């Protein structure tokens, strides 16, 4: 790493620049360091706590070739490699499956405590409609991210905490670096790198609200705000599946927390207001099926007047199962679970857990080739696969690939000073306004539009109106005033969120069918077999483009 | 939204209650019967701010130099650090504050406005004197009636000099008297003045006479033996200066070992302790057991004396038997299970009974005060009042034989209770605090319930404090009456750094650094939530906290 102080700001040069220090960024950093690259990680929060894994995680997806026929690479690839997934068998095998043992070894070294049977083998459970028992259970998962972070720092990655990236830079069609600023001090940063890995997080939850009305009271990390889509889109990267990857879950009524995977996979039964267990109507694997089916099913019951309320019944669990789930796995997924249940007076073994459909989480992914590189030369994606396992493994594989590419043909580009000056001006403009709109009003209005038109039932007219209104909201972007650096950070987050919402709406408008995503279109209620492929979007010469098919 | 930080106290608080801003605490503070603000003291000693440390200690306990030497340390038994490497030397740090502070620079709390109320204290031991100290500070006129010739009770009369140099105690008693407490020694209630007279002359009375009536085993020739407490008292008062060559102590508690070590110091060559308890369940503190080995004391576990042997009209030894088990009944009397096996004999020049004590309450005969089955005074756990109006009790007379720290805590709580009684102030939720100006004033910062006691399992980051060996004061191998254990001196600050500050924020700022939403800010009083509605309740403030000082209170809208 080389740091140069200039009048404009700090210039940081490195081999591999990793944007975002969540699970994917951490995996990428460890791998790139092990490949011998000089590594800089940039994170707007702090490595130890950022990303969805920062809130804890109680399950780790691991196919180990150790058990029955479902514990194989073949079964794994078959499950994940669908026409709409955008992933190839090679990508899944090399980028995720083969990395699992490497990541497991790292986690074991960092003393992540996987639950084990008496014979020493891992406790493994099934979920998400997967054919095998692919989940290892983590005890004390609330410290998982800290343990990973310890490894990242020990490997010698240079971590820039509290730095927000606001713009990617291209030189001669290749990615060359990025611009950003320190969110606590306002220091301006210019990063130059041979290769860049985008690990900014592909879930965006703060754009809609659950029944609590608090947009930060979310299931996934509310501080992941869509830069993963907004920044690469701006430089022409292709993005896929923003229409069908969108997802929701069930959360304890009024409280944004993960945990449904543990609850479902241990045998939780969902009941409607009539006390009926209904999920069999919507998924052959009942609650343990696809999450989108559980959400669609619950929503259907709601439309039919059979709820709210909805409940999860775990009273039939053995005392030991209920205890492990409530007091070990759940706090591992969300460290404050015990306080919440105790303040609400919930005991899994004794009470029904009231649940609701969570806020909608925007999702999608950058289109990548088998080495996880995007269509922009030198720009890799670490956030390719789902869950903490997919993030760590995919990030790791992207780290390996980026480091090797940097070694073989990497070179540093130049930073165009004029671009940097303009960006610095843009970044800090909200601080200079004497009067204007608060970030809360700006991002709150985005949610108003998304909650109203982009919910679990949609139609063409509604989505067109949503887009129109999102574009109208954007005319206010220059009026957002920030009184301090905290407000400035939230302002930029709001702008990212806005972009993610626009891209999602633009994509959804073009998928004229229902059944592949968590929502349904009332104007196209059925599956269209011709649309059994990813919808890809990108920007070319400032214009929105789309195509069907990932490659 | 969440989190809630459990903070360290900023000013000395006389009352020990759960505070609105300190809802979590450590096992040590929870266990300390005196109510010492242990962690606050550690924080100050770490910075070598000994005078302030002593001011905080004295706001709860006027005898830190004493308890800092002779306490049996229930705090250290429970110390979370024990699970990591070794317990903190909490007693040593208390003593370090008391010994090292420049006492000329100590700021003393001012007496509150005179209440015009008169209080009599019966008994000049640690419970009575602690009570007198605080009651006097609260503005009442206090007179201590002590039956003996000296103030100080058990620490003065029963604790050997090598454990507690009496000049330390003298100085601490002096600071009690300095607040305006009047003391009348050689005043035995029921003899020089009657209990009824006292009741008629004072607004309120505290009975803190301790427990001095010694049990003597019902065995032949018991009258030839001497009683342990009496023995220690006579040695401390200078009445006994020598003892025979061979001494047998009957009993296994702290008093028994004090007798044994004192006998060694008076010249006994062979000292035996015969006790009911097995080797694995001795009642004596572990320090005593270690010292017993050093000083060659022979312990006979699981045994009971069956007779005192007479030789030429004097003590000749003890006959004893092995027992299979024992228990205590409601009255506190020992019940021994069927003894079997051969009788054994130990020849001895002196036999000392150290078989327990109970209160001597003849002076209140006829007053109609209710007693517990074991002969102690029955008191209300909240009001500290006995069954008759205006009469309170504290210390061993109420709890049965206990440690000095317990007497101190009882004395202070009784003073607070009596203050409420005398001033008619019903607000139990209010505390008495010592302000910057050293005026004592009321603060409404206490809350109902108990602070959550943090366990080691709740400490996410013990590695923040690293592994460091415990510091001990040097213990002299010499068998003499000069003080055996030296203070921590220069190593006190290093030892204080080992404190985990369980449940009390020590302002390290890790939570502020690690909050993924950057919603916390660091202020002078510690971390604060600046953007409450932007909290994800992810728990990183807690998992980053080395003190386990973070809890969460969920907003109403998440609970419906």
């Amino acid at each position: 790493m080389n740091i140069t102080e200039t009048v404009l700001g700090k210039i940081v040069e490195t081999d591999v620049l990793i944007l975002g220090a969540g699970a994917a960024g951490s995996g990428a950093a460890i791998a790139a360091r092990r490949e011998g690259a000089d590594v800089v990680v940039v994170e707007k929060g702090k490595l130890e706590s950022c990303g969805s894994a920062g809130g804890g995680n109680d399950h780790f997806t691991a196919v180990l070739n150790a058990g029955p026929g479902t514990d194989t690479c073949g079964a794994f690839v078959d499950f994940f490699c669908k026409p709409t997934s955008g992933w190839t068998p090679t990508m899944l095998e090399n980028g995720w499956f083969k990395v699992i043992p490497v990541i497991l070894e790292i986690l074991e070294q960092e003393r992540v405590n996987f639950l084990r049977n008496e014979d020493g083998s891992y406790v493994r459970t099934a979920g998400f409609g997967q054919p095998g028992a692919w989940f290892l259970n983590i005890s004390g998962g609330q410290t998982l991210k800290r343990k990973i972070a310890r490894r990242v720092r020990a490997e010698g990655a240079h971590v820039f905490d509290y730095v927000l990236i606001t713009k990617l830079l291209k030189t001669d069609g290749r990615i060359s670096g990025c611009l950003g600023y320190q969110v606590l001090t306002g220091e301006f940063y210019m990063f130059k790198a041979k290769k860049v890995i985008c690990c900014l997080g592909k879930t965006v939850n703060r754009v809609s609200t659950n029944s609590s009305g608090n947009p930060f009271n979310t299931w996934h990390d509310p501080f992941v705000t869509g830069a993963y889509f907004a920044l690469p889109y701006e430089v022409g990267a292709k993005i896929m599946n923003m229409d069908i990857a969108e997802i929701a879950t069930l959360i304890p009524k009024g409280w944004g927390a993960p945990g449904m995977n543990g609850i479902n996979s241990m045998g939780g039964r969902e009941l409607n207001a009539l006390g009926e267990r209904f999920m069999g109507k919507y998924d052959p694997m009942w609650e343990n099926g696809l999450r989108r089916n559980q959400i669609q099913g619950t929503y259907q019951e709601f439309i039919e007047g059979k709820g709210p309320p909805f409940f999860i019944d775990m009273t039939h669990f053995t005392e030991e199962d209920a205890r492990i789930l409530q007091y070990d796995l759940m706090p591992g997924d969300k460290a404050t679970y015990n306080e919440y249940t105790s303040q609400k007076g919930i005991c899994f073994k004794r009470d029904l857990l009231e649940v609701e459909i969570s806020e909608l989480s925007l999702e999608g992914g950058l289109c990548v080739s088998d080495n996880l590189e995007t269509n922009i030369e030198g720009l890799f994606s670490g956030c390719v696969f789902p869950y903490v396992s997919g993030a760590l493994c995919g990030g790791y594989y992207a780290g390996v690939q980026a480091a090797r590419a940097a070694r073989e043909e990497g070179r540093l580009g130049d930073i165009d000073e004029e671009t940097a000056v303009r960006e610095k001006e843009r970044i800090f403009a909200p601080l200079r306004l004497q009067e204007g709109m608060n970030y809360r009003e700006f991002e709150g209005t985005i949610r108003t539009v998304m909650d109203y038109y982009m919910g679990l039932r949609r139609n063409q007219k509604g989505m067109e109106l949503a887009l129109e209104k999102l574009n109208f909201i954007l005319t206010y972007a220059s009026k957002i005033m920030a009184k301090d650096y905290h407000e400035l950070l939230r302002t930029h987050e709001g702008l990212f969120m806005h972009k993610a919402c626009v891209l999602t709406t633009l994509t959804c408008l073009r998928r004229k069918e229902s059944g592949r995503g968590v929502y349904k279109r009332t104007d196209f209620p059925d599956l269209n077999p011709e649309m059994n492929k990813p919808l890809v979007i990108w920007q070319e010469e400032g214009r929105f483009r789309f195509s069907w098919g990932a490659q | 939204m969440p989190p809630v930080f459990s903070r360290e106290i900023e000013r000395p608080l006389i009352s020990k209650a759960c505070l609105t801003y300190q809802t979590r605490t450590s096992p040590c503070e929870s266990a300390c019967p005196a109510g010492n603000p242990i962690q606050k003291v550690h924080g100050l000693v770490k910075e070598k701010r000994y005078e302030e440390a002593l001011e905080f200690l004295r706001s709860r306990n006027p005898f830190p130099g004493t308890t800092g030497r002779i306490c049996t340390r229930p705090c250290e038994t429970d110390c979370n650090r024990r699970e990591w490497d070794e317990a903190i030397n909490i007693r040593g740090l208390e003593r370090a504050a008391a010994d090292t502070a420049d006492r000329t620079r100590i700021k003393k709390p001012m007496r509150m406005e005179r209440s015009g109320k008169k209080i009599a204290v019966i008994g000049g031991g640690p419970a009575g004197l602690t009570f007198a100290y605080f009651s006097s500070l609260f503005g009442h006129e206090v007179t201590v009636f002590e039956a003996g010739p000296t103030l100080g009770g058990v620490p003065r009369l029963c604790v050997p000099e090598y454990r507690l140099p009496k000049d330390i105690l003298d100085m601490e008693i002096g600071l009690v008297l300095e607040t305006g407490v009047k003391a009348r020694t050689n005043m035995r209630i029921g003899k020089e003045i009657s209990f009824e007279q006292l009741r008629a002359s004072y607004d309120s009375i505290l009975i803190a006479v301790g427990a001095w009536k010694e049990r003597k085993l019902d065995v032949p020739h018991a009258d030839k033996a001497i009683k342990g407490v009496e023995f220690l008292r006579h040695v401390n008062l200078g009445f006994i200066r020598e003892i025979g060559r061979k001494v047998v102590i009957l009993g296994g508690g702290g008093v028994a070992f004090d007798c044994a070590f004192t006998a060694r110091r008076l010249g006994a060559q062979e000292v035996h302790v015969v006790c009911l308890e097995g080797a694995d369940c001795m009642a004596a503190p572990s320090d005593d057991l270690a010292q017993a080995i050093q000083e060659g004391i022979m312990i006979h576990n699981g045994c009971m004396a069956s007779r005192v042997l007479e030789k030429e009209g004097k003590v000749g030894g003890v006959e004893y038997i092995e027992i299979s088990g024992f228990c205590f009944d409601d009255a506190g009397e020992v019940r021994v299970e069927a003894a079997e096996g051969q009788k054994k004999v130990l020849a001895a020049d002196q036999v000392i009974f150290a078989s327990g004590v109970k209160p001597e309450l003849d002076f209140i005969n006829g007053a109609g005060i209710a007693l517990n089955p074991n002969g102690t005074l029955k008191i209300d756990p909240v009001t500290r009042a006995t069954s008759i109006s205006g009469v309170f009790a504290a210390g061993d007379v109420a709890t049965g034989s206990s440690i000095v720290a317990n007497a101190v805590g009882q004395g202070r709580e009784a003073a607070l209770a009596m203050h409420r009684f005398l001033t008619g102030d019903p607000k139990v939720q209010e505390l008495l605090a010592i302000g910057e100006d050293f005026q004592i004033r009321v603060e409404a910062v206490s809350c109902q319930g108990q602070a959550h006691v943090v366990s080691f399992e709740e400490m996410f980051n013990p590695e923040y404090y690293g592994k460091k060996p415990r510091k001990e004061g040097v213990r002299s191998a010499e068998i003499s009456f000069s003080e055996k254990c030296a203070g921590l001196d220069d190593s006190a600050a290093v030892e204080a750094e080992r404190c985990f500050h369980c449940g009390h924020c020590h302002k390290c700022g890790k939570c502020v650094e690690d909050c993924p939403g950057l919603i916390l800010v660091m202020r002078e009083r510690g971390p604060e939530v600046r953007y409450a509605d932007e909290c994800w309740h992810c728990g990183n403030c807690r998992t980053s906290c080395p003190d386990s000082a973070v809890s969460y209170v969920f907003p109403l809208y998440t609970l419906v």
Side-chain angles (χ1 to χ4, degrees):
Chain A
M1 183 181 64
N2 188 22
I3 301 184
T4 319
E5 305 270 358
T6 72
V7 182
L8 195 57
K10 274 199 172 90
I11 298 176
V12 180
E13 296 175 345
T14 185
D15 295 338
V16 176
L17 174 65
I18 296 165
L19 310 182
S26 297
I30 295 168
R33 280 299 298 146
R34 289 183 174 183
E35 286 292 324
D38 185 70
V39 173
V40 165
V41 183
V42 189
E43 165 58 47
K44 74 172 168 182
K46 182 136 185 289
L47 167 64
E48 278 68 15
S49 54
C50 68
S52 275
N57 200 291
D58 66 337
H59 284 78
F60 184 84
T61 307
V63 177
L64 298 169
N65 262 344
T70 52
D71 195 26
T72 59
C73 181
F76 178 75
V77 169
D78 281 350
F79 179 79
F80 283 107
C81 192
K82 296 282 156 54
T84 50
S85 68
W87 300 319
T88 66
T90 312
M91 201 185 280
L92 283 161
E93 181 174 351
N94 293 342
W96 189 352
F97 173 78
K98 283 187 177 167
V99 188
I100 288 170
V102 180
I103 296 294
L104 265 183
E105 194 186 328
I106 292 169
L107 298 180
E108 296 267 17
Q109 273 172 359
E110 294 302 328
R111 302 196 303 280
V112 172
N113 187 14
F114 293 100
L115 291 184
R116 287 177 186 275
N117 298 309
E118 279 178 14
D119 65 358
S121 61
Y122 291 120
V123 170
R124 303 181 71 179
T125 51
F128 285 146
Q130 293 166 358
W134 290 349
F135 292 122
L136 309 189
N137 291 242
I138 299 171
S139 172
Q142 54 270 64
T143 55
L144 176 72
K145 187 69 198 305
R146 287 173 191 283
K147 291 172 177 166
I148 297 168
R150 193 164 60 199
R151 176 52 31 206
V152 172
R153 294 203 193 267
E155 295 282 350
H158 308 289
V159 182
F160 287 72
D161 291 312
Y162 315 123
V163 173
L164 179 76
I165 298 306
T166 59
K167 189 175 184 61
L168 299 186
L169 299 173
K170 267 199 323 192
T171 309
D172 305 329
R174 289 172 43 243
I175 203 80
S176 56
C178 63
L179 304 172
Y181 74 103
Q182 217 277 11
V183 299
L184 303 175
T185 63
E187 196 174 10
F188 186 63
Y189 275 88
M190 293 159 277
F191 294 92
K192 290 163 74 169
K194 294 173 183 168
K195 303 291 167 191
V196 177
I197 310 175
C198 186
C199 301
L200 291 164
K202 56 184 191 153
T203 60
V204 191
N205 283 53
R206 214 161 91 203
V207 294
S208 71
T209 36
N210 55 41
S211 79
S212 73
N214 181 333
F216 290 82
N217 178 24
T218 49
W219 150 46
H220 291 132
D221 184 351
F223 309 111
V224 176
T225 50
Y228 175 74
F229 306 106
L231 295 178
Y233 180 79
E234 207 184 312
V235 293
K238 290 187 172 178
I239 300 169
M240 64 178 182
N241 282 342
M242 291 201 79
D243 48 344
I244 55 171
E246 208 177 325
I247 190 64
T249 188
L250 296 179
I251 55 172
K253 171 73 179 67
W255 191 54
M260 279 315 296
N261 195 23
I263 290 171
N264 286 336
S265 66
M266 284 184 81
R269 296 168 182 165
E270 187 179 355
L271 308 178
N272 63 21
L274 308 174
E276 299 162 342
R277 187 179 176 205
F278 57 87
M279 268 310 298
K281 286 189 274 178
Y282 306 99
D283 195 299
M285 291 177 73
W286 295 72
E287 293 83 358
N288 228 8
L290 296 175
R291 182 62 44 82
R292 69 161 189 262
N293 288 346
Q294 188 167 26
I295 300 309
Q296 281 178 355
T298 305
Y299 194 68
Q300 186 61 36
E301 297 288 301
F302 165 75
I303 289 171
E304 291 173 14
K306 295 177 185 166
F310 295 96
F311 299 99
I312 300 287
D313 181 1
M314 292 170 275
T315 57
H316 58 284
F317 284 14
T318 64
E319 291 281 353
E320 182 62 2
D321 277 1
R323 188 194 62 76
I324 289 179
L325 184 66
Q326 178 163 2
Y327 298 106
D328 190 357
L329 298 184
M330 289 298 109
D333 231 2
K334 188 82 185 253
T336 49
Y337 215 99
N338 284 345
E339 276 87 356
Y340 176 74
T341 51
S342 99
Q343 283 167 38
K344 200 167 177 179
I346 299 166
C347 164
F348 284 5
K349 179 66 189 158
R350 187 192 63 209
D351 309 308
L352 298 179
L353 173 70
E354 190 182 352
V355 292
E356 64 169 301
I357 297 175
S358 74
E359 71 286 350
L360 274 166
S361 170
L362 305 188
E363 288 208 36
L366 295 177
C367 290
V368 288
S369 57
D370 283 350
N371 69 342
L372 308 191
E373 189 169 8
T374 67
N375 59 306
I376 306 299
E377 191 190 335
L379 179 64
F380 292 73
S381 171
C383 302
V384 178
F385 307 118
Y387 326 132
V388 75
S389 168
L392 277 165
C393 295
Y396 190 94
Y397 190 68
V400 171
Q401 296 301 314
R404 288 181 185 168
R407 193 163 63 222
E408 282 158 21
E409 38 83 41
R411 56 190 188 280
L412 287 176
D414 287 326
I415 288 175
D416 174 37
E417 196 178 329
E418 199 190 319
T419 307
V421 169
R422 263 206 317 275
E423 181 61 6
K424 188 177 179 183
E425 170 77 18
R426 186 190 74 86
I427 288 171
F428 298 108
L431 284 174
R432 288 192 290 272
L433 289 187
Q434 295 303 310
E435 55 183 33
M437 177 189 277
N438 183 271
Y439 71 90
R440 288 163 192 265
E441 188 176 354
F442 182 79
E443 74 164 75
T445 311
I446 298 171
R447 277 187 291 274
T448 306
V449 170
M450 296 302 282
D451 281 338
Y452 197 70
Y453 300 106
M454 293 290 287
L456 291 167
R457 290 292 182 275
R458 304 176 186 174
N459 61 60
Q460 193 75 9
K461 184 70 189 164
M463 289 194 280
E464 283 169 0
L465 257 179
L467 193 61
E468 193 180 312
K469 293 187 180 187
L470 287 170
N471 286 333
F472 174 69
I473 291 171
L474 193 61
T475 64
Y476 281 78
S478 59
K479 297 181 179 136
I480 310 172
M481 179 186 73
K483 284 202 282 252
D484 54 30
Y485 285 125
H486 183 85
E487 296 196 357
L488 187 66
L489 169 65
R490 292 282 182 263
T491 299
H492 288 293
E493 288 178 341
L495 292 169
F496 289 143
M497 283 157 53
H498 179 272
K499 180 60 95 180
C501 290
V502 167
L503 296 180
T504 298
T505 310
L506 279 168
T507 321
C508 289
L509 272 167
R510 280 154 182 89
R511 184 173 286 279
K512 296 183 178 175
E513 61 163 356
S514 295
R516 293 189 211 279
V518 71
Y519 65 90
K520 276 190 175 168
R521 288 191 61 152
T522 47
D523 45 355
F524 297 99
D526 302 314
L527 272 177
N528 179 344
E530 289 180 10
M531 291 185 175
N532 191 12
K533 50 186 119 174
L535 184 50
V536 175
I537 61 167
W538 71 98
Q539 177 177 253
E540 211 169 273
E541 290 162 358
R543 295 184 57 192
F544 173 79
R545 304 275 183 184
F546 75 95
S547 74
W548 291 92
Q551 301 308 314
Chain B
M1 218 160 12
V4 177
F5 299 101
S6 177
R7 302 180 192 284
E8 191 48 272
I9 55 175
E10 297 288 342
R11 294 296 313 158
L13 300 174
I14 294 169
S15 325
K16 183 193 183 189
C18 183
L19 304 172
T20 50
Y21 61 85
Q22 191 186 81
T23 53
R24 297 167 76 82
T25 195
S26 55
C28 61
E29 289 200 11
S30 168
C32 177
N36 283 359
I38 295 171
Q39 301 192 53
K40 180 71 187 179
V41 171
H42 291 180
L44 292 166
V45 169
K46 183 169 74 183
E47 296 173 9
K48 302 192 175 176
R49 291 156 69 184
Y50 295 106
E51 289 74 26
E52 285 164 85
L54 185 55
E55 284 163 15
F56 273 90
L57 275 171
R58 290 187 55 81
S59 70
R60 297 270 174 86
N61 171 1
F63 294 101
T66 303
T67 49
R69 285 175 164 78
I70 64 169
C71 191
T72 55
R73 308 185 276 191
C75 50
E76 293 183 28
T77 309
D78 288 354
C79 175
N80 276 332
R81 181 119 197 171
R82 193 176 277 272
E83 309 281 326
W84 180 243
D85 47 20
E86 296 169 274
I88 311 286
N89 189 346
I90 299 172
R91 185 178 70 185
L93 289 169
E94 179 183 12
R95 174 177 166 181
D99 286 5
T100 316
D102 176 354
R103 286 186 182 256
T104 62
R105 288 171 52 208
I106 296 291
K107 298 192 202 74
K108 292 168 191 160
M110 320 254 218
R111 278 185 85 179
M112 291 166 83
E113 200 179 322
R114 300 288 186 277
S115 67
K117 302 286 183 185
K118 288 170 67 185
I119 300 172
V121 181
I122 308 175
L129 290 175
T130 302
F131 170 89
Y133 173 72
F134 287 108
S135 293
S136 180
L137 287 179
F138 298 161
H140 310 301
E141 191 184 309
V142 186
T143 308
V144 176
F145 293 87
E146 165 57 45
T150 57
L151 293 174
V154 165
R156 154 89 54 216
L157 298 172
C158 299
V159 177
E161 179 76 11
Y162 70 90
R163 284 178 59 205
L164 174 66
K166 297 302 174 290
D167 56 339
I168 301 285
L169 183 66
D170 286 340
M171 187 260 296
E172 293 191 322
I173 293 173
L175 289 171
V176 170
L177 298 178
E178 190 188 76
T179 61
V181 171
K182 282 183 231 160
R184 301 182 66 187
T185 50
N186 292 316
M187 285 290 283
R188 184 172 291 278
I189 306 305
K191 195 172 166 201
E192 274 77 22
I193 180 171
S194 75
F195 185 61
E196 288 69 31
Q197 277 176 292
L198 216 55
R199 283 196 71 194
S201 318
Y202 290 88
D203 293 297
S204 193
I205 292 175
L206 179 84
I207 302 175
V209 296
W212 291 90
K213 195 181 201 171
E214 288 195 78
R215 293 189 182 86
K216 242 186 181 186
L217 294 184
D218 186 16
V219 295
H221 304 305
D223 57 314
K224 302 291 177 197
I226 56 174
K227 290 179 280 189
V229 169
E230 189 177 281
F231 166 66
L232 293 171
R233 191 154 57 96
H234 284 173
V235 174
N236 270 322
L237 290 173
F239 302 155
I240 295 181
R241 291 170 192 275
E242 58 190 26
I243 197 163
R245 208 177 69 81
K246 280 185 168 186
V247 178
V248 176
I249 322 283
L250 304 176
V255 171
F257 281 91
D258 280 347
C259 289
F261 303 141
T262 300
R264 283 289 276 134
R265 282 158 178 74
L266 291 175
Q269 295 301 304
E270 194 179 314
V271 177
H272 297 265
V273 169
V274 176
C275 62
L276 299 170
E277 298 91 345
D280 53 349
C281 57
M282 293 292 285
S286 57
D287 284 354
D288 282 359
L289 299 176
Q291 190 177 342
I293 293 169
Q294 264 177 14
E295 300 191 3
I297 312 288
M298 281 161 280
I299 304 174
H300 305 267
N301 292 107
C303 296
M304 181 181 73
S306 48
R307 76 166 61 224
V308 175
L309 300 173
E310 193 191 357
K311 187 178 162 190
E312 296 161 8
K314 292 183 187 168
V315 167
V318 173
E319 176 194 85
Y320 67 100
I321 51 174
E322 289 189 9
I323 61 163
S324 56
F326 71 101
C327 61
F328 292 95
D329 65 15
D330 286 348
E333 297 300 331
V334 69
R335 294 274 175 265
V336 176
E337 284 172 34
E340 283 179 19
Q342 290 285 316
K343 290 181 175 171
K344 297 178 186 174
V345 167
L346 280 171
D349 302 316
Q350 191 54 272
V351 173
I352 301 172
F353 283 115
S355 332
V357 287
K358 59 183 183 181
E360 171 86 78
L361 288 168
D362 294 346
F363 70 93
I364 52 161
N365 280 347
I369 302 185
L371 301 183
N372 291 312
N374 66 356
T376 55
L377 283 176
K378 199 173 221 169
I379 58 167
D380 182 293
V382 177
T383 66
R384 310 262 158 185
T386 64
S387 61
I388 57 173
S389 178
V391 179
F392 294 70
D396 285 1
V397 72
T399 60
S401 180
S402 185
I403 58 176
V404 172
N406 183 58
V408 166
Q410 289 252 320
R412 189 192 63 248
E413 290 304 318
L416 288 161
M418 198 187 286
H419 181 64
R420 282 195 291 269
F421 169 78
L422 290 174
T423 57
D425 188 343
K427 295 174 196 153
V428 181
Q429 288 306 306
E430 291 181 342
L431 289 176
L432 290 174
I434 302 171
E436 293 280 354
D437 51 4
F438 283 76
Q439 298 276 359
I440 298 174
R441 57 170 150 262
V442 170
E443 271 185 27
V445 291
S446 77
C447 58
Q448 275 178 332
Q450 299 282 313
H452 171 76
V453 179
V454 170
S455 68
F456 182 72
E457 288 68 37
E458 296 173 82
M459 311 290 294
F460 281 100
N461 303 293
E463 59 272 12
Y464 171 89
Y465 291 101
K467 300 243 183 196
K468 289 175 198 159
R470 171 186 166 108
K471 300 281 182 191
E472 294 281 5
V474 176
R475 295 173 77 85
S476 154
E478 189 187 327
I479 299 180
S480 78
F481 279 106
S482 55
E483 189 166 22
K484 184 171 178 67
C485 185
L488 284 172
D489 301 329
D490 291 346
S491 56
V494 179
E495 179 63 12
E497 272 178 24
R498 295 177 68 236
C499 179
F500 278 171
H501 294 278
C502 311
H504 295 189
C505 168
H506 84 293
K507 306 185 193 176
C508 70
K510 289 281 173 201
C511 55
V512 178
E513 280 177 26
D514 275 15
C515 173
L518 308 175
I519 68 161
L520 305 178
V521 286
M522 199 64 183
R523 305 254 194 243
E524 198 182 337
R525 68 192 289 254
E528 282 180 14
V529 182
R530 182 156 174 215
Y531 302 94
D533 56 352
E534 295 179 4
C535 174
W536 183 35
H537 36 77
C538 61
N540 271 296
C541 38
R542 179 167 61 199
T543 53
S544 65
C545 177
D547 305 329
S548 191
V550 184
S551 57
Y552 299 87
V553 174
F554 283 92
L556 191 56
Y557 63 77
T558 62
L559 301 177
V560 294

